[in-house]
Amino acid sequence: MATHLQKQIEKIKKEILSLGAMVEDRFQKAIYAIKVEDLELAQKIIDTDFQIDEREIEVEEECLKILALYQPVAMDLRFLVAVVKINNDLERIADYAANIAQRFKTSSQNKAKFKYDYTAMADQAAKMLRMSLDALVHLNVDMAYEVRDMDKDVNLMRNEAYDSMKRDIRNQPEMVGDIINMYLISRHLERIGDHTTNISEEVIYLIEGEIIRHS
Amino acid sequence: MERHIKMYTENLDFFYGNSQALHDISIDFDENRVTALIGPSGCGKSTYLRCLNRMNDLIPNIKVKGRAMLDKKDIYDPSLDVVTLRRRVGMVFQKPNPFPKSIFENIAYGLKVNGVKDKAEITRIVEKSLKQAAIWDEVKDRLNESALGLSGGQQQRLCIARALAVAPEVLLMDEPASALDPIATQKIEELIAELSSRLTIIIVTHNMQQAARVSDRTAFFYLGKLIELNDTDTLFTKPELKQTEDYITGRFG
């Protein structure tokens, strides 16, 4: 029979997973809004970011409560520490989604005609996020290592966006402000990739007990 | 850092009649370090602790095999004086057990038994021991009152002072804080940290957080066997064996 602590931990697991799904939905919608030029959708993402912030605080408080009441050790302790950090990464990813929406909004106010398709890059980042959370739930260390390796693809795509937009600035110097804004979206996606890498590294810590960050 | 092993057991077996309570226990105890023994009730940790100053000798029909060494000398050597051994390896029990005498006499008793006659010397050691046990300020004005009038936490610190008075080299503690409230427990834990700079301490505790807080190394016992012996930090964050993990996280039986 599961102890009370294990039930609480199962509950936290569900909450962090549901928060992860919400966050993934947001940044994919932000990219979709750019693709179909849906300003209303972009505005909605910006306006509802507070929902993620509230959920982040709920998860953190729940973890702190369990740490204080049960003083967990070993695997349970590592799980809760990992969740506190992953929770923070998810909140940051949602912030980037709101930033992406904001940049799109700013560019369209200037009636920019400039566009860049970020679908592939966003798909890759979303896949990394999903896999890192799957790795957390199923304690799959191989999957976590895989996510870590995938980060370089996202970095590569950011570089491609950079080269492409450098050419665009040369060709349309009057658009420089908007192009920089669009470039920064690739930077946000790249940062989202970094946060999913952090999540996978937390999962590796949780399973193997070794901190592999910065190595 | 060079290790100095104060005490160790090698392949220690222990029997109550025909029933074997300890199987092949080998542990080294570093000098001036704290080792915690944890495990479920009946796992043999208290039996093992009592082997270390031959407290089990008082029980009929027991048998000890293997070796238990203090400063490289076998403590089960028939020529060894058990009273001297118990002076060098002191013990504090689960329930505070002061003598029904004055606070002063509780500490002085062991000294007198050990042949200290000089009154000034006795007074000096009584004060020093009470200070070491962090209880001096609370009792200095009532040394001639009965020890039984002290609170549980004070009585336990008095018993620690009594153990310290005869200048032991090793201190065995069997659940020293389990009958105390959280404040008294905290005082005992602080005392353990303080004493560990000059004493080798071996503590049995059911409270795993306490083991984690006070000890440098932790030994996990189960069914009379030593399952895992590890640095306390490692044992409580990333134990090597699943059996240890299951016990400390409460996924046990």
Side-chain angles (χ1 to χ4, degrees), chain A residues 11 15 22-23 62 64 77 81 85 116 126-127 130 134 165-166 168 192 200:
Chain A
K11 197 173 138 215
E15 279 174 22
M22 270 171 83
V23 168
E62 201 61 32
L64 291 176
L77 176 65
V81 170
K85 294 180 139 198
Y116 186 89
K127 192 175 167 197
R130 257 194 319 271
D134 270 357
M165 285 184 234
K166 215 160 68 176
D168 288 325
I192 289 174
S200 66

Side-chain angles (χ1 to χ4, degrees), chain B:
Chain B
M1 201 176 73
E2 201 186 329
R3 284 178 64 191
H4 183 265
I5 295 177
K6 183 70 189 173
M7 221 176 168
Y8 69 89
T9 63
E10 204 172 65
N11 311 113
L12 193 85
D13 293 328
F14 184 86
F15 301 80
Y16 290 111
N18 291 325
S19 144
Q20 187 166 1
L22 294 174
H23 301 258
D24 199 28
I25 310 285
S26 301
I27 305 181
D28 299 336
F29 298 100
D30 292 325
E31 186 167 43
N32 300 348
R33 304 274 289 199
V34 182
T35 306
L37 312 179
I38 62 166
S41 294
C43 69
K45 56 194 187 301
S46 292
T47 298
Y48 178 74
L49 192 75
R50 287 197 303 266
C51 285
L52 299 176
N53 70 346
R54 293 184 53 179
M55 217 54 142
N56 290 324
D57 289 12
L58 308 171
I59 303 166
N61 273 330
I62 59 125
K63 193 167 70 191
V64 182
K65 278 191 193 163
R67 297 206 297 173
M69 314 289 281
L70 173 65
D71 283 337
K72 296 177 185 153
K73 294 218 171 64
D74 191 341
I75 64 171
Y76 283 89
D77 183 332
S79 68
L80 179 124
D81 174 24
V82 180
V83 175
T84 307
L85 170 70
R86 293 192 189 134
R87 188 193 61 68
R88 293 179 65 196
V89 183
M91 193 158 193
V92 175
F93 300 86
Q94 180 169 6
K95 279 198 187 150
N97 53 353
F99 304 134
K101 288 172 175 287
S102 71
I103 292 167
F104 185 93
E105 279 302 319
N106 261 275
I107 313 294
Y109 186 80
L111 297 168
K112 289 176 184 166
V113 169
N114 276 284
V116 184
K117 292 201 175 72
D118 180 8
K119 274 194 179 156
E121 175 72 356
I122 291 174
T123 307
R124 190 186 68 76
I125 296 176
V126 168
E127 178 174 340
K128 184 178 155 209
S129 308
L130 289 168
K131 279 181 175 163
Q132 280 181 345
I135 192 180
W136 173 250
D137 287 338
E138 292 159 62
V139 300
K140 64 183 177 204
D141 300 324
R142 49 197 279 208
L143 291 175
N144 293 317
E145 289 174 28
S146 167
L148 301 178
L150 296 171
S151 73
Q154 289 172 327
Q155 287 187 7
Q156 191 63 308
R157 276 178 288 146
L158 180 74
C159 292
I160 293 173
R162 188 175 65 192
L164 294 175
V166 293
E169 296 150 55
V170 178
L171 191 59
L172 309 177
M173 303 179 106
D174 193 355
E175 300 257 14
S178 66
L180 305 180
D181 73 20
I183 295 169
T185 299
Q186 195 183 350
K187 283 188 180 154
I188 300 287
E189 288 181 10
E190 279 164 14
L191 186 55
I192 291 170
E194 169 71 25
L195 294 173
S196 70
S197 62
R198 52 183 181 275
L199 263 179
T200 304
I201 297 177
I202 305 164
I203 175 172
V204 162
T205 174
H206 269 300
N207 179 336
M208 267 174 307
Q209 277 71 32
Q210 182 169 73
R213 283 191 297 265
V214 303
S215 68
D216 302 294
R217 291 210 303 166
T218 299
F220 168 52
F221 281 65
Y222 185 58
L223 297 177
K225 293 189 177 107
L226 173 65
I227 306 297
E228 181 165 346
L229 171 66
N230 219 326
D231 285 341
T232 298
D233 290 351
T234 309
L235 194 121
F236 284 101
T237 54
K238 197 194 156 204
E240 270 165 31
L241 298 177
K242 176 141 195 323
Q243 222 175 345
T244 314
E245 169 105 30
D246 286 347
Y247 177 68
I248 62 175
T249 59
R251 287 170 174 80
F252 210 72

Side-chain angles (χ1 to χ4, degrees), chain A residues 13-64:
Chain A
K13 225 181 230 183
K14 285 193 187 115
E15 279 174 22
I16 196 84
L17 206 62
S18 129
L19 179 61
M22 270 171 83
V23 168
E24 184 197 328
D25 181 55
R26 259 154 209 274
F27 86 79
Q28 284 211 312
K29 275 194 178 135
I31 297 301
Y32 180 73
I34 299 174
K35 198 175 177 184
V36 301
E37 300 192 35
D38 186 342
L39 265 177
E40 217 173 293
L41 181 59
Q43 188 60 48
K44 202 177 153 203
I45 292 165
I46 297 165
D47 291 343
T48 56
D49 189 47
F50 74 94
Q51 292 173 343
I52 301 284
D53 297 346
E54 283 174 4
R55 290 285 297 270
E56 184 215 10
I57 289 170
E58 277 171 29
V59 171
E60 186 170 323
E61 283 178 344
E62 201 61 32
C63 288
L64 291 176

Side-chain angles (χ1 to χ4, degrees), chain A:
Chain A
M1 210 185 90
T3 64
H4 202 219
L5 168 63
Q6 282 148 35
K7 284 180 200 152
Q8 299 278 324
I9 282 179
E10 280 308 312
K11 197 173 138 215
I12 288 273
K13 225 181 230 183
K14 285 193 187 115
E15 279 174 22
I16 196 84
L17 206 62
S18 129
L19 179 61
M22 270 171 83
V23 168
E24 184 197 328
D25 181 55
R26 259 154 209 274
F27 86 79
Q28 284 211 312
K29 275 194 178 135
I31 297 301
Y32 180 73
I34 299 174
K35 198 175 177 184
V36 301
E37 300 192 35
D38 186 342
L39 265 177
E40 217 173 293
L41 181 59
Q43 188 60 48
K44 202 177 153 203
I45 292 165
I46 297 165
D47 291 343
T48 56
D49 189 47
F50 74 94
Q51 292 173 343
I52 301 284
D53 297 346
E54 283 174 4
R55 290 285 297 270
E56 184 215 10
I57 289 170
E58 277 171 29
V59 171
E60 186 170 323
E61 283 178 344
E62 201 61 32
C63 288
L64 291 176
K65 198 177 89 189
I66 297 175
L67 287 169
L69 296 185
Y70 298 92
Q71 294 145 37
V73 293
M75 185 75 169
D76 298 336
L77 176 65
R78 300 203 304 274
F79 176 80
L80 286 163
V81 170
V83 165
V84 167
K85 294 180 139 198
I86 290 169
N87 188 38
N88 186 246
D89 282 312
L90 289 175
E91 189 273 332
R92 294 297 300 140
I93 293 175
D95 280 348
Y96 284 121
N99 290 352
I100 290 170
Q102 184 63 52
R103 297 214 177 270
F104 162 61
K105 217 181 103 189
T106 311
S107 301
S108 48
Q109 273 160 359
N110 297 339
K111 308 219 179 318
K113 294 283 175 290
F114 178 81
K115 276 180 85 171
Y116 186 89
D117 189 359
Y118 279 120
T119 315
M121 196 175 178
D123 283 350
Q124 177 81 353
K127 192 175 167 197
M128 286 168 72
L129 178 59
R130 257 194 319 271
M131 283 172 70
S132 62
L133 293 173
D134 270 357
L136 171 71
V137 173
H138 299 114
L139 299 179
N140 184 336
V141 78
D142 294 335
M143 196 182 270
Y145 275 109
E146 209 182 314
V147 172
R148 213 164 165 246
D149 288 342
M150 285 162 78
D151 192 41
K152 55 182 180 300
D153 299 338
V154 177
N155 294 348
L156 223 62
M157 289 187 216
R158 193 251 347 252
N159 293 346
E160 281 167 14
Y162 176 80
D163 291 338
S164 160
M165 285 184 234
K166 215 160 68 176
R167 283 193 300 275
D168 288 325
I169 290 173
R170 255 187 236 116
N171 296 338
Q172 318 172 60
E174 72 286 359
M175 300 274 294
V176 64
D178 293 324
I179 297 174
I180 289 175
N181 238 335
M182 286 308 270
Y183 164 69
L184 285 173
I185 291 176
S186 74
R187 169 78 185 143
H188 296 329
L189 286 171
E190 187 256 325
R191 290 297 296 146
I192 289 174
D194 290 345
H195 283 287
T196 65
T197 306
N198 289 352
I199 294 174
S200 66
E201 285 169 349
E202 289 310 321
V203 173
I204 293 166
Y205 163 72
L206 163 64
I207 299 166
E208 297 188 335
E210 301 287 339
I211 297 172
I212 59 152
R213 215 167 44 236
H214 316 306
S215 64

